Structure formats: structure tokens, C-alpha cells
């Protein structure tokens, strides 16, 4: 493992896009976690997210992980560039000539993904605890860790997303093709989800429609991007202004999405290794 870690370190240290996007990602991540401390101008009015309760326990775990998860594309760019340059610069071929096995290549990339995901998760956890203890109006010990599972969900979401990008990078090799392939898949998944929703909801109105959306099982919710999204639901429904209006939020653990993400991670990692073994490089 130490050998692979050193190999990845020396490869990426001299790769400028890797350094630039790494610095950008962690700088913006930290800045976003403190967004609730400033007043935001929304539709001509001023909104302070701290006053809306985003730093209250246990909601803070949902808010912080959802907000910083929006930045995963920055770290995704690092993963794509890191892997694509291996094929563009023929580094992969040279490494295999020098004795690096395909299994070790995948392991080295997984090691990079795991390190980035772990560091990002730790930063979010530490800053969330700091902000919560500083600004939360809820101090009950039982509430502080009631939804800490969102940190674990955040880790799995990032790891699955990066595994997906690794698979696309190994499959398509060039970074431009990877981004186009990702966009095409995202559109295709949205179309499939829309078609399934249309089929289930046609002719339904009001409470019946709402009941189907809340209780029925949607096959497309198990697709990669959708299952990742479901791990951390949009927390805006938990703002104080919506609570005053009588909007209720029911927190429940997304077990099905968690299982789906773990399965997709295994598929993407196994698929990447299979492509490396079968393709004539």
C-alpha cells in the first residue's frame, strides 16, 4: 500500500490541474460550511440561514453534508484528470512494462479516492461539530448525534460518485469523453425517471398523487445518480420559516439507497478492473 501511495503522490504532485482543483475544492468546501453566518439576498429580501436553524442540532448534519456534496464535481474533476492522464500520456502502459499490475493500478486509484473522501468527510465532521456547538440553540446530548449518520452517508455518496467517474475514465480514457459520457448518462437517467413517474402518476391528483410519490417504489430511484442523491435529501424543508408555515419534515434513514450505492460501487470498481484486463492497451 505504501508503494502505491508514493506512486500516486509523485504522479499527481507535478500535475498542475490536480493541485489547482484540490486547493479550490477544500477552500470552497470550508467557505460553504460557514455560509450561514452571512446574510443572503434572496428575491429582494435578506435571509440569514443561521437564524433559519441550519446550525441547530440535529438538522446541521443534514444541512452541511448536503451543501458540501454540491461541490463533489470539483473533486470529481481531480479524479478524472488523474486517471485520464495515465492513458493520454501513456503512463499506464509504461507502468505495466515496469511491473505494475492492473490490480495494483486500480488499487492505487481506489487509494486516492479513499483518501480524498476520508479527508473531505473529516473536515465536514469537525467543522459541523464546531459550528453546531457554537451556534446551535439545541444543546441536548441526545439531539447532537441523532442524525450524525449523514456523515456516513456523505462518505458513501462521495465514494460511489468517484468510483463511477473512475469507471468512466477507464472506459473512455479521455477526460473530455468522460465529461460528455457523464452528462449523457445524467440526461438519460432523468428521462427514465420522468417516464416512470409519468406512468405511475397519470390521471392522479392531490392526495392520491402525493401518496404514490411518498409510498410507492420507483425502480429509477435505485439508479446510480438517483440513489446517491437520495442518501442526503434536500434540507430546505427544515428551515424555520417553513416550520412556522406548518410544513412537516419526516426524517428517515435511506436504507435502500445506501444498499444501492454500495452495490454500484462494487460494480464500478469491478467493471474498471474487468475493462483493464480485457482491453488491449
Amino acid at each position: 500500500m505504501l508503494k502505491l501511495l508514493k506512486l500516486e503522490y509523485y504522479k499527481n504532485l507535478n500535475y498542475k490541474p490536480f493541485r489547482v482543483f484540490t486547493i479550490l475544492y477544500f477552500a470552497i468546501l470550508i467557505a460553504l460550511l460557514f455560509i450561514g453566518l452571512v446574510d443572503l439576498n434572496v428575491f429582494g429580501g435578506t435571509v440569514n440561514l443561521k437564524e433559519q436553524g441550519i446550525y441547530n442540532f440535529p438538522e446541521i448534519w443534514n444541512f452541511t453534508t448536503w451543501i458540501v456534496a454540491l461541490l463533489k464535481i470539483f473533486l470529481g474533476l481531480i479524479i478524472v484528470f488523474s486517471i485520464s492522464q495515465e492513458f493520454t500520456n501513456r503512463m499506464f502502459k509504461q507502468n505495466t512494462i515496469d511491473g505494475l499490475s492492473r490490480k495494483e493500478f486500480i488499487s492505487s486509484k481506489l487509494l486516492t479516492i479513499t483518501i480524498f473522501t476520508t479527508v473531505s468527510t473529516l473536515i465536514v465532521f469537525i467543522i459541523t461539530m464546531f459550528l453546531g456547538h457554537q451556534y446551535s440553540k439545541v444543546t441536548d446530548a441526545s439531539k447532537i448525534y441523532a442524525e450524525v449518520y449523514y456523515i456516513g452517508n456523505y462518505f458513501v455518496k462521495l465514494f460511489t460518485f468517484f468510483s463511477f467517474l473512475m469507471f468512466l475514465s477507464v472506459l473512455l480514457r479521455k477526460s473530455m469523453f468522460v465529461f460528455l459520457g457523464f452528462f449523457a448518462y445524467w440526461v438519460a437517467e432523468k428521462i427514465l425517471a420522468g417516464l416512470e413517474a409519468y406512468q405511475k402518476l397519470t390521471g392522479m391528483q392531490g392526495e392520491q398523487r402525493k401518496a404514490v410519490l411518498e409510498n410507492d417504489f420507483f425502480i429509477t430511484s435505485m439508479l446510480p445518480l438517483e440513489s446517491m442523491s437520495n442518501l442526503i435529501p434536500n434540507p430546505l424543508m427544515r428551515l424555520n420559516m417553513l416550520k412556522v408555515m406548518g410544513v412537516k419534515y419526516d426524517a428517515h434513514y435511506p436504507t435502500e439507497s445506501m444498499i444501492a450505492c454500495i452495490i454500484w460501487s462494487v460494480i464500478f470498481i469491478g467493471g474498471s478492473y474487468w475493462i483493464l484486463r480485457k482491453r488491449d492497451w
Side-chain angles (χ1 to χ4, degrees):
M1 182 180 290
L2 187 59
K3 169 191 169 184
L4 298 179
L5 187 59
K6 287 181 178 179
L7 182 62
E8 284 297 293
Y9 175 76
Y10 288 119
K11 280 182 184 178
N12 295 317
L13 183 63
N14 297 316
Y15 189 49
K16 189 174 181 179
F18 185 92
R19 299 197 306 269
V20 170
F21 280 107
T22 299
I23 295 171
L24 271 177
Y25 171 78
F26 286 108
I28 298 174
L29 181 151
I30 293 171
L32 264 185
L33 288 172
F34 288 88
I35 193 173
L37 301 182
V38 298
D39 293 332
L40 302 176
N41 192 338
V42 181
F43 301 117
T46 300
V47 176
N48 185 286
L49 294 177
K50 178 170 70 72
E51 295 176 358
Q52 291 300 318
I54 74 164
Y55 292 150
N56 288 339
F57 286 117
E59 292 93 336
I60 187 172
W61 299 108
N62 189 184
F63 277 105
T64 54
T65 52
W66 183 80
I67 289 172
V68 297
L70 298 175
L71 293 175
K72 63 183 181 296
I73 190 62
F74 277 94
L75 212 51
L77 290 172
I78 299 171
I79 302 300
V80 172
F81 288 142
S82 173
I83 298 175
S84 295
Q85 71 159 338
E86 299 269 3
F87 305 115
T88 303
N89 300 333
R90 299 185 180 278
M91 294 168 62
F92 171 75
K93 189 172 184 179
Q94 184 60 48
N95 285 334
T96 54
I97 293 174
D98 294 339
L100 186 73
S101 69
R102 285 162 170 76
K103 183 177 180 181
E104 287 177 320
F105 176 83
I106 291 295
S107 297
S108 67
K109 299 308 174 187
L110 281 177
L111 187 59
T112 301
I113 288 172
T114 303
I115 290 173
F116 272 117
T117 305
T118 301
V119 171
S120 179
T121 303
L122 283 174
I123 289 175
V124 175
F125 176 80
I126 292 170
I127 296 180
T128 299
M129 287 293 287
F130 170 77
L131 291 172
H133 281 92
Q134 285 289 111
Y135 302 109
S136 177
K137 297 177 182 178
V138 179
T139 57
D140 187 352
S142 63
K143 293 288 187 180
I144 292 177
Y145 297 102
E147 296 182 20
V148 72
Y149 60 78
Y150 278 114
I151 290 292
N153 290 14
Y154 175 76
F155 179 92
V156 173
K157 182 173 184 173
L158 257 62
F159 187 85
T160 306
F161 182 70
F162 299 149
S163 297
F164 182 36
L165 291 182
M166 178 181 72
F167 172 75
L168 291 178
S169 299
V170 172
L171 177 65
L172 303 174
R173 292 187 286 180
K174 294 184 180 296
S175 56
M176 182 59 68
F177 293 158
V178 174
F179 298 136
L180 289 174
F182 176 81
F183 179 74
Y185 175 80
W186 175 76
V187 171
E189 191 171 298
K190 290 297 182 183
I191 291 174
L192 289 174
L195 290 174
E196 184 180 22
Y198 176 78
Q199 183 183 27
K200 283 180 174 287
L201 300 174
T202 299
M204 295 183 183
Q205 298 293 333
E207 291 299 321
Q208 185 183 17
R209 182 187 181 91
K210 181 180 178 182
V212 170
L213 288 173
E214 292 179 350
N215 303 318
D216 272 28
F217 174 75
F218 287 76
I219 296 175
T220 51
S221 67
M222 295 295 101
L223 293 175
L225 297 180
E226 190 65 24
S227 59
M228 293 178 217
S229 178
N230 292 337
L231 282 180
I232 305 176
N234 190 322
L236 297 183
M237 297 295 289
R238 310 179 74 167
L239 295 177
N240 287 338
M241 65 175 68
L242 294 179
K243 292 179 181 178
V244 171
M245 295 169 60
V247 177
K248 294 183 179 180
Y249 178 86
D250 295 322
H252 63 279
Y253 190 81
T255 304
E256 294 176 345
S257 296
M258 175 61 75
I259 294 173
C261 284
I262 293 173
I263 292 174
W264 281 118
S265 295
V266 173
I267 291 173
F268 293 142
I269 295 169
S272 300
Y273 179 59
W274 184 83
I275 292 171
L276 284 177
R277 287 192 59 189
K278 294 297 181 181
R279 181 174 287 178
D280 183 10
W281 300 92

